């Protein structure tokens, strides 16, 4: 087995006696460090069932388990020389006879552990924890975890429930809030909003409870947007702003008289000002939008330029203070509009929170009667179960002998709620008898590895700042408990050559470029393990959309000019470049051979138009390409054919679906075959085919296939 070189930082991070917090750049061997850490814990005598490794995804957990199994399996059958070499590289010194003997037994020892090593996602661990203590968690023992599809179905049921509730009580707050939201968003956006609120329901309940304690939701949010409680609606705001005494009518009258001496546009605007000033307050409210505010703001409610329309030279000569008067009034109108926007925002927020809370309460009720838990429930319930405020000391007592070492992978994407679970599990690791000092056992440790720069922001509530905050928390806890805590940075990349890393460092060396990149604001640096290996970074000019001329709708299609999108032109440029490398047999220095298509990786920001254009451009050049690694199944013609079969089987009278099946490779009719059956038919296609099935061989064969579909349905 090939022994992998380890950097000094990797070796320090894997030492089993220390609490370690690893901040790692991309490609620096984070997974290897985790595997080494687990292996060294096992070699150091840690019992496999007392190690808990929390990973971010099921794929990550499976990979970790596979790596550990392969490593321990290899140790079990290695000859003495190879095993000594491997263990020497791992522990950084000559292994003892006990180390060698232990290494050979670890594979069997791990196999004997019920369920194997605890390498799980945080959700999987919480599910097992709740399943072990359902009574303490206040959960039905027969609970089941629902996936995103079932969650969406329950949310639809909850939506239907609150809609029915609003119909039965049309004068209630819920009905009013729903009516208001219906004016602001469509059905799809409403569903998206409710899903977003449901994902943050714990925070929503806290916010609503907090605002209600401050005198009511509407009053609290009104203050929050900077309005007075008296500014209860748009009409009230306008009435206050447009009543006699609120407007400087004397100055505006002077301005209007001056505008009569200006340009024709100024004179026209003078008439509008005088007309508005002559109105009563209620009439001013009605005329504000169409008559008055248009003098001072654009259609987007942005400040209009007054020089051309309001303060022309003749008007300024007549009234020197004209520009000052008009600018003052413009600022006042903008302030009115800002208050109106704030009022609309507050009203929409109140409606959203009202509907959202009703939706969540219904959703929670539906889950409760079915004994369902979603992924957020797993975290919240486990957090409450382990909380010291919860008073369930029995759970901690039972777990205290079960976990001695916690390892957290991809910890930059661990949410605050998930960190609470980890923190509760490690409550006694660094204090009292929990440290194992008086029992002469090895210290209990916490290990985390992550990279703030790689955080999937907001995914499952991820907050990269928690990575730094929890590092400081455990550092203080370990230090106060007399234990060692090491903060280690992995900066040596095994993946990337020096030329690329140097460009990255130069980009973030610019003033302000690295702000917010790391928790402590430290400058980001990279080193490469692949020293003296060739690398090149090219910066291409940006491909921008080409200007397009207006098309005459009466032009023939052949008269249209062919415009290529920026995405397509970039894809063609990349394909031409790759084709040039292959045609010229450019040497891949690392392998000392010509470049092959399989050596090239094209990274895209998202699987959108550009990715499709890139694949098409490569195929046109005859360059072998793997194609898209993801596809929308329902957009594939084969799947669409099968869906048509399903629709026909459920409803044979669906002639369109039947026609799709007939034209598909399942039956293989031509347009002429379909026309012969469909033209001048007396009923739907299935009834027509049933009557005429003996007319020719194609009709008969199609009828047999379709009949078989119906029998299966």
């Amino acid at each position: 087995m090939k022994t992998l070189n380890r950097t000094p930082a990797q070796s320090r991070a894997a030492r089993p006696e220390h609490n370690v917090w690893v901040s790692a750049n991309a490609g620096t061997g984070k997974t290897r460090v985790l595997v080494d850490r687990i292996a060294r814990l096992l070699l150091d005598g840690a019992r496999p069932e007392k190690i808990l490794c929390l990973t971010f995804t099921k794929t990550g957990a499976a990979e970790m388990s596979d790596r550990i199994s392969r490593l321990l399996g290899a140790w079990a059958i290695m000859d003495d020389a190879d095993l000594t070499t491997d263990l020497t590289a791992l522990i950084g010194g000559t292994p003892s006879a006990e180390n060698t003997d232990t290494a050979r037994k670890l594979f069997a020892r791990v196999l004997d552990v019920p369920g194997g090593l605890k390498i799980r996602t945080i959700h999987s661990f919480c599910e097992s924890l709740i399943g072990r203590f359902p009574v303490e968690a206040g959960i039905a023992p027969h609970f089941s975890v629902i996936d995103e599809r079932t969650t969406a179905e329950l949310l639809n049921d909850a939506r239907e429930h609150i809609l029915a509730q609003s119909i039965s009580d049309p004068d209630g707050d819920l009905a009013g809030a729903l009516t208001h939201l219906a004016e602001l968003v469509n059905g799809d956006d409403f569903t998206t909003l409710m899903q977003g609120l449901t994902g943050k329901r714990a925070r929503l309940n806290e916010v609503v409870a907090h605002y209600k304690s401050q005198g009511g939701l509407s009053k609290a949010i009104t203050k929050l947007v900077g309005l007075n409680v008296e500014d209860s609606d748009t009409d009230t705001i306008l009435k206050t702003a447009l009543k006699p005494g609120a407007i400087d009518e004397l100055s505006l009258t002077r301005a209007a008289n001056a505008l009569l001496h200006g340009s024709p546009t100024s004179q026209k605007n003078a008439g509008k000002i005088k007309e508005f000033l002559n109105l009563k307050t209620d009439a001013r409210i009605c005329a504000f939008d169409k008559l008055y505010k248009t003098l001072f703001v654009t259609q987007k409610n942005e400040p209009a330029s007054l020089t051309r329309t309001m303060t022309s030279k003749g008007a300024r000569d007549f009234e020197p203070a004209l520009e000052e008067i008009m600018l003052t009034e413009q600022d006042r109108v903008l302030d009115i509009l800002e208050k109106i926007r704030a009022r609309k925002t507050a009203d929409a927020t109140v409606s959203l929170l009202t509907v959202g809370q009703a939706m969540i309460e219904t959703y929670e009720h539906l889950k409760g009667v079915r004994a369902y838990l979603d992924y957020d429930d797993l975290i919240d319930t486990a957090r409450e179960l382990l909380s010291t405020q919860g008073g369930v000391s029995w759970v901690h007592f039972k777990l205290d002998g079960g976990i001695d070492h916690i390892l957290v992978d991809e910890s930059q994407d661990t949410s605050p709620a998930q960190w609470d679970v980890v923190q509760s599990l490690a409550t006694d690791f660094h204090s009292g008898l929990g440290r194992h000092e008086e029992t002469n056992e090895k210290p209990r440790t916490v290990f985390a590895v992550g990279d703030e720069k790689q955080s999937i922001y907001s995914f499952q509530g991820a907050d990269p700042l928690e990575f730094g905050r929890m590092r400081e928390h455990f550092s203080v806890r370990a230090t106060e408990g007399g234990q060692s805590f090491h903060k280690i940075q992995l900066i040596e990349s095994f993946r990337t050559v020096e030329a690329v890393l140097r460009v990255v460092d130069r980009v973030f060396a610019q003033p302000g470029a690295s702000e917010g990149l790391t928790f402590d604001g430290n400058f980001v640096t990279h080193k490469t393990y692949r020293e003296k290996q060739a690398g090149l970074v090219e910066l291409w000019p940006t491909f921008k959309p080409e200007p397009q001329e207006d098309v005459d709708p009466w032009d023939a299609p052949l008269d249209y000019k062919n415009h290529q999108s920026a995405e397509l032109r970039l894809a063609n440029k990349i394909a031409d470049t790759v084709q040039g490398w292959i045609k010229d047999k450019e040497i891949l220095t690392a392998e000392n051979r010509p470049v092959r298509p399989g050596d090239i990786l094209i990274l895209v920001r998202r699987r959108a138009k550009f990715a499709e254009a890139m694949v098409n451009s490569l195929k046109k050049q005859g360059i072998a390409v793997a194609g898209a690694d993801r596809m929308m199944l329902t957009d594939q013609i084969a799947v669409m054919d099968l869906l048509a079969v399903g629709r026909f089987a459920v409803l044979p009278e669906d002639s369109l679906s039947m026609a799709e099946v007939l034209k598909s490779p399942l039956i293989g009719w031509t347009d002429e075959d379909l026309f012969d059956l469909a033209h001048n038919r007396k009923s739907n296609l299935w009834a027509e085919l049933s009557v005429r099935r003996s007319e020719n061989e194609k009709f008969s064969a199609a009828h047999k296939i379709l009949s078989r579909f119906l029998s299966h349905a």
Side-chain angles (χ1 to χ4, degrees):
M1 182 176 179
K2 184 180 179 180
T3 301
L4 297 174
N5 294 324
R6 293 168 175 83
T7 66
Q10 287 179 322
S11 298
R12 288 199 310 275
R15 291 182 63 177
E17 67 272 21
H18 300 310
N19 296 278
V20 177
W21 211 267
V22 180
S23 180
N25 293 336
T28 54
K30 295 191 291 291
T31 305
R32 181 199 293 182
V33 170
L34 267 170
V35 172
D36 285 354
R37 174 86 178 186
I38 294 173
R40 292 194 64 175
L41 284 169
L42 292 171
L43 281 173
D44 200 45
R47 292 165 57 184
E49 65 272 19
K50 292 197 172 189
I51 298 173
L52 173 63
C53 181
L54 299 175
T55 64
F56 190 60
T57 62
K58 293 179 181 179
T59 303
E63 180 186 359
M64 190 75 59
S65 297
D66 181 60
R67 287 201 188 191
I68 290 291
S69 296
R70 283 192 283 115
L71 176 64
L72 300 185
W75 283 354
I77 60 175
M78 273 184 183
D79 59 43
D80 289 340
D82 287 342
L83 181 58
T84 299
T85 301
D86 212 44
L87 293 179
T88 299
L90 175 65
I91 66 178
T94 304
S96 63
E98 183 182 359
N99 290 146
T100 305
D101 184 57
T102 300
R104 292 199 182 281
K105 297 177 180 178
L106 283 178
F107 185 71
R109 188 178 297 171
V110 169
L111 282 180
D112 288 340
V113 175
L117 281 170
K118 297 191 189 80
I119 301 177
R120 301 176 179 175
T121 65
I122 183 72
H123 293 97
S124 173
F125 171 76
C126 290
E127 181 180 356
S128 66
L129 179 68
I130 296 167
R132 188 177 172 187
F133 304 103
V135 176
E136 291 83 352
I139 299 295
H142 63 284
F143 77 89
S144 57
V145 181
I146 57 177
D147 56 17
E148 293 180 358
R149 178 176 178 178
T150 307
T151 298
E153 292 172 353
L154 284 180
L155 284 172
N156 284 334
D157 291 344
R159 182 180 63 180
E160 297 301 321
H161 186 276
I162 64 171
L163 289 174
Q165 184 179 343
S166 67
I167 293 174
S168 63
D169 184 16
D171 297 325
D173 291 341
L174 179 59
L178 275 170
T179 302
H180 185 200
L181 285 183
E183 298 171 356
L184 301 175
V185 298
N186 58 35
D188 291 339
D189 290 341
F190 177 79
T191 300
T192 302
L193 275 174
M194 292 302 106
Q195 288 174 339
L197 287 175
T198 304
K200 295 180 173 60
R201 56 185 177 275
R203 178 61 179 152
L204 175 65
N205 289 332
E206 291 176 6
V207 168
V208 171
H210 173 71
Y211 284 161
K212 285 185 176 179
S213 68
Q214 292 187 349
L217 203 59
S218 181
K219 288 184 179 179
I221 295 178
T222 296
K223 293 180 180 178
L224 195 64
V225 297
L227 295 176
N228 297 320
V229 178
E230 295 77 18
D231 298 325
S232 56
D233 53 47
T234 299
D235 282 352
T236 302
I237 293 172
L238 287 174
K239 188 173 184 178
T240 302
L242 303 179
K243 65 183 180 181
I247 300 179
D248 188 353
E249 298 186 16
L250 182 61
S251 295
L252 286 173
T253 300
R254 285 167 49 204
N257 291 332
L259 291 174
L260 292 174
H261 294 81
S263 65
T265 302
S266 296
Q267 295 172 18
K268 182 179 178 181
N269 290 335
K272 292 181 179 181
I273 293 174
K274 288 191 172 186
E275 179 184 351
F276 183 79
L277 293 177
N278 289 330
L279 297 174
K280 300 291 186 181
T281 301
D282 290 342
R284 287 180 179 177
I285 293 174
C286 298
F288 179 77
D289 278 343
K290 292 184 178 180
L291 177 64
Y292 194 63
K293 79 171 187 180
T294 56
L295 300 173
F296 301 95
V297 298
T298 64
Q299 290 183 346
K300 295 182 179 180
N301 287 338
E302 296 173 350
S305 174
L306 303 180
T307 304
R308 183 177 59 82
T309 59
M310 301 285 279
T311 58
S312 55
K313 185 177 184 304
R316 289 198 303 272
D317 290 343
F318 186 84
E319 175 56 68
L322 174 63
E323 188 169 0
E324 181 182 352
I325 294 171
M326 300 310 295
L327 287 174
T328 300
E329 183 62 10
Q330 184 182 55
D331 290 341
R332 204 179 73 85
V333 169
L334 289 169
D335 183 60
I336 295 171
L337 295 176
E338 183 60 33
K339 284 187 175 182
I340 292 173
R341 278 194 293 268
R343 182 68 264 166
K344 289 180 178 179
T345 299
D347 292 342
T349 303
V350 171
S351 296
L352 180 62
L353 294 180
T354 301
V355 174
Q357 191 178 32
M359 183 92 165
I360 290 171
E361 288 174 354
T362 306
Y363 171 69
E364 294 290 345
H365 173 73
L366 293 174
K367 282 193 303 175
V369 297
R370 294 169 172 82
Y372 285 164
L373 295 180
D374 61 22
Y375 291 131
D376 290 333
D377 291 327
L378 293 176
I379 301 298
D380 294 336
T381 305
R383 178 174 60 169
E384 183 62 27
L385 182 62
L386 294 170
S387 170
T388 53
Q389 288 80 14
V392 191
S393 57
W394 166 254
V395 175
H396 276 283
F397 175 75
K398 294 293 288 184
L399 285 177
D400 209 33
I403 300 174
D404 282 347
H405 305 280
I406 299 175
L407 301 91
V408 185
D409 186 22
E410 301 293 356
S411 51
Q412 77 279 353
D413 289 317
T414 305
S415 70
Q418 294 166 356
W419 273 123
D420 286 345
V421 174
V422 175
Q423 187 175 341
S424 296
L425 290 172
T427 296
D428 295 328
F429 274 31
H430 309 108
S431 61
L433 294 178
R435 295 178 297 177
H436 287 169
E437 287 180 348
E438 297 184 13
T439 58
N440 294 321
E441 292 187 36
K442 300 292 176 62
R444 305 167 80 182
T445 63
V446 175
F447 173 93
V449 58
D451 180 8
E452 302 126 293
K453 304 183 295 300
Q454 296 184 60
S455 177
I456 308 173
Y457 292 93
S458 299
F459 181 73
Q460 295 182 352
D463 183 356
L465 291 179
E466 287 294 300
F467 178 74
R469 190 180 70 82
M470 294 308 299
R471 178 180 63 196
E472 299 310 311
H473 166 80
F474 282 111
S475 175
V476 171
R477 292 279 296 169
T479 303
E480 290 178 347
Q483 295 185 12
S484 60
F485 186 93
H486 292 182
K487 303 174 185 177
I488 295 175
Q489 284 193 321
L490 299 183
I491 62 174
E492 194 166 3
S493 174
F494 293 85
R495 182 186 303 161
T496 313
V497 295
E498 183 180 2
V500 176
L501 295 177
R502 192 164 59 242
V503 169
V504 173
D505 286 345
R506 288 179 62 183
V507 168
F508 287 101
Q510 304 299 315
S514 61
E515 289 182 6
L517 198 61
T518 59
F519 169 74
D520 47 19
N522 288 340
F523 181 70
V524 178
T525 56
H526 297 82
K527 288 179 61 180
T528 182
Y529 183 81
R530 300 169 58 183
E531 293 180 351
K532 298 182 181 178
Q533 291 190 15
L536 175 68
V537 176
E538 290 184 4
L539 296 179
W540 289 0
T542 304
F543 285 79
K544 298 180 180 179
E546 296 176 338
Q548 297 188 20
E549 300 176 1
D550 292 335
V551 178
D552 187 342
W554 295 105
D555 281 348
L558 294 177
D559 295 330
Y560 294 164
K561 292 184 178 180
N562 183 23
H563 291 281
Q564 288 188 337
S565 66
E567 292 89 351
L568 181 57
R569 286 184 285 123
L570 176 58
N572 289 337
K573 170 70 172 176
I574 295 174
D576 290 341
T577 302
V578 173
Q579 178 66 14
W581 292 343
I582 297 172
K583 182 179 178 181
D584 298 338
K585 296 185 178 181
E586 181 139 350
I587 298 299
L588 182 64
T589 309
E591 301 289 338
N592 194 27
R593 59 166 172 78
V595 172
R596 302 169 186 164
D599 299 324
I600 299 164
L601 177 66
I602 300 174
L603 298 178
V604 297
R605 291 185 63 189
R606 59 177 64 90
R607 298 173 180 88
K609 289 192 303 180
F610 176 73
E612 184 177 346
M614 190 69 257
V615 171
N616 291 337
S617 295
L618 291 170
K619 287 183 175 180
K620 287 179 181 178
Q621 293 276 20
I623 300 169
V625 57
D629 60 347
R630 283 189 187 180
M631 63 177 66
M632 184 66 69
L633 281 177
T634 52
D635 290 343
Q636 304 305 307
I637 188 67
V639 177
M640 294 168 71
D641 288 340
L642 293 175
L643 290 174
V645 171
R647 289 193 297 270
F648 166 76
V650 172
L651 184 66
E653 292 79 10
D654 184 352
S655 294
L656 177 60
S657 294
M658 177 175 163
E660 292 171 350
V661 177
L662 292 172
K663 286 290 302 296
S664 74
L666 295 166
I667 296 178
W669 277 19
T670 64
D671 287 338
E672 289 74 15
D673 297 329
L674 182 59
F675 182 83
D676 289 343
L677 177 66
H679 186 57
N680 287 330
R681 69 183 187 277
K682 307 301 182 186
S683 183
N684 59 68
L685 281 183
W686 174 241
E688 186 74 12
L689 181 63
S690 298
V691 172
R692 299 171 55 188
R693 63 181 180 274
S694 58
E695 189 172 302
N696 59 52
E697 187 177 341
K698 282 194 173 183
F699 284 10
S700 176
H703 187 270
K704 288 180 181 179
I705 295 173
L706 294 175
S707 297
R708 190 162 65 248
F709 291 156
L710 290 175
S711 66
H712 286 307

